[in-house]
Amino acid sequence: MSRDRYVDFLRAWAIVLVVLGHWLITALVREPGGRIIAPELLATVPWTQWLTLAFQIMPLFFLAGGHAAGGSWARARESGATAGGWLGRRALRLLLPVGVYSGLVLIAVGVCAAAGVDADTLALVGWAMAMQFWFLPVYLLLSALTPAMYAAHRRWGTRVPPAMGAVALAVDVLVVRGHTPYVGLLDYLLVWGVAYQLGFCWHDGLLTGRRYVPLAMAAGGLAAFAALVALGPFPVSLILVTGQHPGNTDPPSAAMLAWVVAQAGLCLLAAPAVRRLLARERLWRVVRPLSAASMTLYLWHMLPVLVAAAAFYLTGLAPEPGLGSGAWWALRVPWLLVLGLVLAGVVATLGPLERALAVLYERTSPDAGLRRAWPLWPGLALDVVALSRLAVRGFAPDGRVPVLPALGLALGTALVLVTRWASTRRAATVPGAVLR
């Protein structure tokens, strides 16, 4: 079955905008003593919170993920694969690069801590290198729930996303009015799960048969978002801003849910025109490598910020006009160009490692259905907990290596890898095994 170029484009587009958005709002200041701090642009220059409407594009990543997962799981079921076998394969595709990235960062943190680097500086750097990790445990959990979510989709179709949205709204009321923040953790699965579930509907043609459906989603979502911001308690920023309560991302709010629906509708409306453009091989040759490198770009995109900080701010070479001034914005252009060049170098340097991971993945991918998957589930549980912890506290809380999350991630990934490796060995000895 041929790949949908538009889905690959959405994945690449989402990652590129996330990277550019993080780079754009990252502000560095060198204090008189030489210490580098990172003031929060969205809090210091409040009008910049409107920029998050252009750069909060993660709904499209979950939408594209649901589209791809729905088709993948449907084909796996037809070939006789089990849920454990399918999930192990998809989880490993995510966990291998994440594990290598985390291992290298943790080694660097350990070396810096042993060398006596200032604990506050190291904690800030460790947080910057883990800030994107919030996405990983959510995506792993949605992947684990895909068989059940897809079964609900097959039975109830387009009624499932509104039902999930209604529960998410009820949870949000408890968070905002009832002051029960831990209940809000459910909205990470419910709100982003709506985008994921809409991906199933999109894959099966339930949203595209009538043009008014995506139009209603886009118009209704935008109107609801505007009302919740103008009349309700929610801020316009779609990225967490210190001191704002309620916020829209931690946990995802009713306003974020409206934004999910609006973006999904706009995505479906744009699909025919963008697909015609992607049919041009010259453009596709640009999009395809970006999509293939999306995880690498997502994981490593804050490393260029650290390189630029060391090269230009620690040395005092970088000009430092007032934060948010015209001169500061003008310097964003060379800032983005420098970071882009450094990231291109990082991706090129990581090429051999990426190819080695691809070989390892392919050697553990074929199976005839994973029947003894018990190590997979505790492995995934350890990974989700460890990644969540790293996302909240970073790679160097208090300037030290986070030993327990590091061990949890290593053990969890090893359990998933061993489970997949065992299934590959069994598949090699089973005549007529199904290879996917």
Side-chain angles (χ1 to χ4, degrees):
M1 183 177 179
S2 61
R3 293 177 65 90
D4 188 330
R5 289 186 175 186
Y6 186 50
V7 174
D8 285 345
F9 165 79
L10 290 179
R11 186 180 296 112
W13 180 247
I15 292 301
V16 167
L17 282 186
V18 166
V19 170
L20 289 177
H22 283 167
W23 286 353
L24 185 66
I25 66 173
T26 297
L28 300 177
V29 173
R30 185 177 188 269
E31 294 186 320
R35 181 168 172 261
I36 305 299
I37 60 172
E40 190 175 354
L41 179 67
L42 298 179
T44 306
V45 187
W47 71 262
T48 59
Q49 295 177 29
W50 288 92
L51 297 177
T52 65
L53 301 185
F55 290 102
Q56 179 49 273
I57 208 78
M58 291 309 290
L60 294 187
F61 200 93
F62 284 99
L63 179 72
H67 185 287
S72 174
W73 172 236
R75 293 190 297 273
R77 290 173 65 235
E78 291 173 0
S79 69
T82 62
W86 177 85
L87 175 59
R89 185 182 184 187
R90 289 186 72 84
L92 198 60
R93 185 188 293 273
L94 188 72
L95 290 171
L96 283 177
V98 169
V100 170
Y101 170 82
S102 300
L104 292 174
V105 174
L106 287 167
I107 290 172
V109 168
V111 171
C112 291
V117 173
D118 175 69
D120 290 339
T121 300
L122 196 54
L124 177 61
V125 169
W127 173 83
M129 295 298 284
M131 62 182 291
Q132 69 274 39
F133 268 30
W134 72 266
F135 160 82
L136 302 172
V138 177
Y139 201 81
L140 280 175
L141 286 172
L142 287 176
S143 296
L145 293 170
T146 293
M149 295 173 71
Y150 193 75
H153 162 74
R154 291 290 298 271
R155 182 168 183 177
W156 294 296
T158 55
R159 287 175 286 181
V160 179
M164 293 175 63
V167 178
L169 291 176
V171 169
D172 204 32
V173 170
L174 291 176
V175 172
V176 176
R177 301 297 184 190
H179 304 290
T180 53
Y182 289 105
V183 176
L185 294 176
L186 292 172
D187 269 350
Y188 281 99
L189 292 179
L190 290 167
V191 173
W192 299 119
V194 166
Y196 196 78
Q197 197 83 28
L198 286 172
F200 297 164
C201 298
W202 178 27
H203 179 272
D204 289 351
L206 301 182
L207 302 177
T208 53
R210 299 173 181 175
R211 189 169 178 80
Y212 73 82
V213 173
L215 184 61
M217 290 171 60
L222 288 172
F225 177 81
L228 287 166
V229 172
L231 305 176
F234 301 102
V236 70
S237 178
L238 291 171
I239 296 176
L240 180 66
V241 178
T242 301
Q244 279 188 350
H245 181 78
N248 286 325
T249 60
D250 188 21
S253 68
M256 181 63 80
L257 176 60
W259 196 251
V260 165
V261 175
Q263 274 201 0
L266 292 171
C267 162
L268 298 176
L269 288 172
V274 178
R275 281 196 171 104
R276 285 193 294 271
L277 291 174
L278 293 173
R280 302 175 182 178
E281 289 303 318
R282 184 174 298 179
L283 178 60
W284 178 239
R285 284 196 293 269
V286 175
V287 173
R288 182 173 56 188
L290 282 175
S291 178
S294 59
M295 183 53 63
T296 303
L297 296 174
Y298 186 77
L299 289 174
W300 290 92
H301 75 274
M302 289 305 288
L303 178 61
V305 175
L306 303 183
V307 173
F312 299 107
Y313 284 86
L314 282 179
T315 59
L317 294 176
E320 296 191 45
L323 184 63
S325 65
W328 187 87
W329 284 108
L331 286 171
R332 292 287 91 180
V333 176
W335 168 255
L336 294 178
L337 289 175
V338 167
L339 296 184
L341 289 173
V342 175
L343 184 57
V346 170
V347 172
T349 303
L350 292 172
L353 180 58
E354 294 287 323
R355 289 190 288 273
L357 289 178
V359 170
L360 177 60
Y361 173 77
E362 289 302 324
R363 287 181 177 177
T364 61
S365 62
D367 70 343
L370 190 57
R371 305 296 173 184
R372 299 175 183 174
W374 69 264
L376 174 69
W377 307 109
L380 285 176
L382 283 170
D383 287 322
V384 167
V385 172
L387 290 170
S388 300
R389 190 68 172 172
L390 290 171
V392 172
R393 303 198 64 198
F395 281 110
D398 304 319
R400 297 190 297 269
V401 173
V403 176
L404 289 181
L407 290 176
L409 181 59
L411 179 58
T413 303
L415 286 172
V416 175
L417 183 60
V418 166
T419 304
R420 292 294 307 166
W421 190 270
S423 75
T424 303
R425 291 175 62 87
R426 286 196 297 272
T429 62
V430 176
V434 179
L435 302 182
R436 305 193 311 284

